[in-house]
Amino acid sequence: MAALVSIDRLRFLLNQLHERLWVRPLAVCLLSIAAVFIAKLADGTALIKWVPHISIDSVESLLSIMASSMLVIATFSVTSMLSAYNSASNSATPRAFRLMVADDVSQNALSTFVGAFIFSVVAIAALKNSFFDKAGLFILFALTVFVFGLVITVFVRWVDRIARLGRLGSTIEKVELAAAAALERRRIFPTLCGIPTSVDASQGHPVFANEIGYVQHIDMSAIQEWADKMNVHVEVAALPGTFAAPNRVLAYVHQLSAKAQEQDHCIAKAFQIGRERLFVDDPRFGLVVLSEIAGRALSPGINDPGTAINIIGALVRLIALWNKPLTDAEQQQAKIIFPRVAVPELTMRDLYDDAFTAIARDGAGTLEVSIRLQKGLQSLSLLGSAANREAAVYHSQRAFTRAEQALLHADDVQIIKDSIKPT
C-alpha cells in the first residue's frame, strides 16, 4: 500500500511534526551551521575586490555577545512557554495543550534563539582558526548583523505573544480556530472523498481494530488501493474520534473473496490509532473541548458564567460555519476520489450533542447562561437543513427542561421561556 506517500497521509504526518517542539529548532540549527560555511564561498569570487575591510575583532565581539546571551534567552523562553502551557491546562483544559505547543510565534522564537546561539558558536570557532578571508569575513559580518536584528525583532514579537499565550481567551480562540479548520475541511469533503454510505453494513465482513485508542486518521488512499487490488468495496464504520478496541469494528468489506479475507489486516493498518484525539481530522473534538472549557468555567469552584457565554458564541459560529452552503469553487473540490470506499457523514445531532449538552447541564442553574444558550440555539434553528433545525429545537427544549428544574424562582423560568419565543 502507498500509505506513506499519499497526500492526505503526508498532510497528517506534517501536522504531527508541527506539534513537535524539536523539529523547527533543529532545522534552524542546521541552517545556521550552513550559513557560516556559505559565507566562506565568497572568498573564491570577485567580491573580494569590492567589499570593505572588516576587523576580525569587531565581528568576534558581536558573535561573543550573541553567544553569551542567546542560550540564556532560549532557556528563559522555554521556561516562559512551559508556564504558559501549564496555565492553559489549568485555566482551560489539558486537551488544549497540543494547540499551545503548535503556536507558530513561540516555536519561531525558540528556533531563532537556539539557531542564533549555534550560529555564534560555530562562527567564533571558524574565526579563531582563520577560516575566512576578506570577502568571507564581510559576508559573515553581514550575516551577524542580520541575525542580531532578527533576534531583536523576534524577541519583541515573542514577548507580546507570551503575554497572551496561556490566557483563557487565547486558548479559546486557538481551539475555535482548530475546530473551524477541521469543520471546514469536513464540510467540503463530508465523506473524506469517498462515496456516501448506502449499503447494509451488517452484510459485510467486519474488520476489527488491533489496537486500543482513538482513531486519529484514516488513510483513504491506502484503503482504495487495496479495494481496487482485491475488487471489493469497503465501508468505514469508525470515523476519526471513535474509540477503538479489539472488539470495535473499523470497517466492513463487501463482496469479500477468500484472498481478500486473508489480507483484510491491511484495512486495519489504514486506521491511525493513538492514545489521544486530535483536532486536525476530528471536527467533533474541537466542539467537545470548547464545551469542556465552558463546563470548567461553570463549576462551583470557578463560577465564571462570562466564559461560558463566550463559548456559546464560539459554538454558534462553528455550527453556522458547518451549515454554510458550498461555493462553486468548493463544489469543484468536493469530488469523489475513492469510489470503492463508503464513509458515513457526521450527523447534526452528534454535533449538537458535543457542543451543547454539557453547557445545558452545567449552566442550567445560571440564568444568563441559559438565556444566551436559548438565543444561540434559536439563531441556529433558522439556518441550514431540516436536520439542523430539528437538532436545534431538540436541544433548546432539553436545555429549558434542565433550567426549569434547576432554577428556584418562577420569574427566572419565565424569562428563559420568553427568550425562546421568536422576536
Side-chain angles (χ1 to χ4, degrees):
M1 296 192 303
L4 292 178
V5 298
S6 66
I7 296 178
D8 196 49
R9 178 70 174 176
L10 182 61
R11 175 190 60 83
F12 176 77
L13 293 176
L14 289 176
N15 184 78
Q16 294 296 98
L17 286 178
H18 181 62
E19 297 177 354
R20 298 293 186 268
L21 275 178
W22 58 268
V23 175
R24 201 170 300 184
L26 177 61
V28 174
C29 287
L30 295 176
L31 182 62
S32 300
I33 296 173
V36 175
F37 291 97
I38 288 175
K40 175 63 177 176
L41 299 178
D43 288 329
T45 67
L47 191 62
I48 194 171
K49 300 178 181 179
W50 304 101
V51 298
H53 177 74
I54 300 296
S55 170
I56 293 180
D57 293 338
S58 63
V59 180
E60 187 175 341
S61 298
L62 285 175
L63 291 171
S64 299
I65 293 173
M66 202 153 44
S68 60
S69 59
M70 283 303 99
L71 187 60
V72 176
I73 294 178
T75 304
F76 169 72
S77 68
V78 171
T79 304
S80 300
M81 289 164 62
L82 290 176
S83 177
Y85 299 155
N86 290 332
S87 176
S89 297
N90 294 329
S91 63
T93 170
R95 259 60 64 189
F97 174 77
R98 284 179 173 270
L99 298 179
M100 299 296 104
V101 172
D103 180 70
D104 286 328
V105 175
S106 297
Q107 286 199 11
N108 289 338
L110 179 61
S111 302
T112 301
F113 301 151
V114 175
F117 172 73
I118 297 298
F119 171 81
S120 304
V121 171
V122 175
I124 290 175
L127 284 175
K128 292 291 187 181
N129 290 276
S130 302
F131 186 65
F132 298 103
D133 292 330
K134 181 181 177 182
L137 188 61
F138 176 79
I139 297 299
L140 181 65
F141 174 75
L143 286 173
T144 303
V145 173
F146 171 77
V147 172
F148 204 82
L150 180 64
V151 166
I152 294 175
T153 303
V154 170
F155 181 77
V156 172
R157 187 185 178 202
W158 174 76
V159 168
D160 178 74
R161 174 57 67 92
I162 203 67
R164 295 174 174 81
L165 189 66
R167 298 294 184 263
L168 185 57
S170 175
T171 304
I172 293 173
E173 181 182 2
K174 285 184 176 295
V175 176
E176 181 181 355
L177 290 175
L183 283 168
E184 181 74 10
R185 184 171 182 272
R186 187 64 66 86
R187 183 179 70 89
I188 300 174
F189 308 107
T191 58
L192 304 180
C193 297
I195 61 174
T197 301
S198 59
V199 293
D200 183 8
S202 62
Q203 297 179 0
H205 170 73
V207 177
F208 296 96
N210 50 24
E211 300 179 61
I212 297 177
Y214 292 97
V215 177
Q216 297 176 338
H217 173 74
I218 302 175
D219 194 338
M220 296 287 291
S221 178
I223 297 177
Q224 173 69 27
E225 182 180 348
W226 182 84
D228 279 336
K229 180 180 179 181
M230 297 298 170
N231 193 27
V232 297
H233 288 81
V234 179
E235 180 178 3
V236 172
L239 290 173
T242 303
F243 185 75
N247 62 343
R248 179 66 165 87
V249 177
L250 297 178
Y252 292 94
V253 182
H254 300 271
Q255 304 171 353
L256 188 72
S257 64
K259 181 180 178 181
Q261 185 170 355
E262 293 177 358
Q263 301 182 20
D264 64 0
H265 62 277
C266 296
I267 298 295
K269 291 182 179 179
F271 287 77
Q272 175 73 35
I273 297 176
R275 295 178 179 271
E276 300 176 352
R277 296 176 71 173
L278 302 180
F279 289 92
V280 60
D281 286 337
D282 186 1
R284 296 178 59 184
F285 185 48
L287 301 178
V288 170
V289 172
L290 285 172
S291 181
E292 183 177 321
I293 296 173
R296 174 173 289 192
L298 291 170
S299 63
I302 298 178
N303 191 23
D304 180 15
T307 293
I309 290 174
N310 290 338
I311 293 290
I312 292 173
L315 292 171
V316 170
R317 287 191 292 271
L318 292 172
I319 299 296
L321 171 65
W322 178 257
N323 285 280
K324 182 180 176 182
L326 292 177
T327 64
D328 293 339
E330 290 171 342
Q331 289 178 354
Q332 292 294 326
Q333 298 179 48
K335 297 179 180 179
I336 294 178
I337 304 177
F338 311 114
R340 288 186 177 272
V341 187
V343 179
E345 298 184 21
L346 295 178
T347 65
M348 290 305 309
R349 181 61 64 86
D350 287 340
L351 294 177
Y352 273 81
D353 287 345
D354 294 332
F356 299 112
T357 298
I359 298 178
R361 178 195 64 216
D362 298 332
T366 307
L367 177 62
E368 56 267 39
V369 174
S370 297
I371 293 175
R372 184 58 62 89
L373 180 58
Q374 291 296 340
K375 289 183 177 180
L377 290 171
Q378 181 181 350
S379 299
L380 290 175
S381 68
L382 304 176
L383 302 175
S385 62
N388 173 73
R389 292 191 291 272
E390 179 184 349
V393 171
Y394 171 76
H395 276 269
S396 176
Q397 294 173 347
R398 287 188 63 188
F400 176 74
T401 301
R402 291 179 183 274
E404 190 176 29
Q405 296 175 354
L407 293 172
L408 302 178
H409 298 282
D411 290 344
D412 291 344
V413 176
Q414 186 60 44
I415 292 173
I416 297 175
K417 185 180 295 186
D418 293 340
S419 69
I420 300 176
K421 298 178 181 178
T423 55

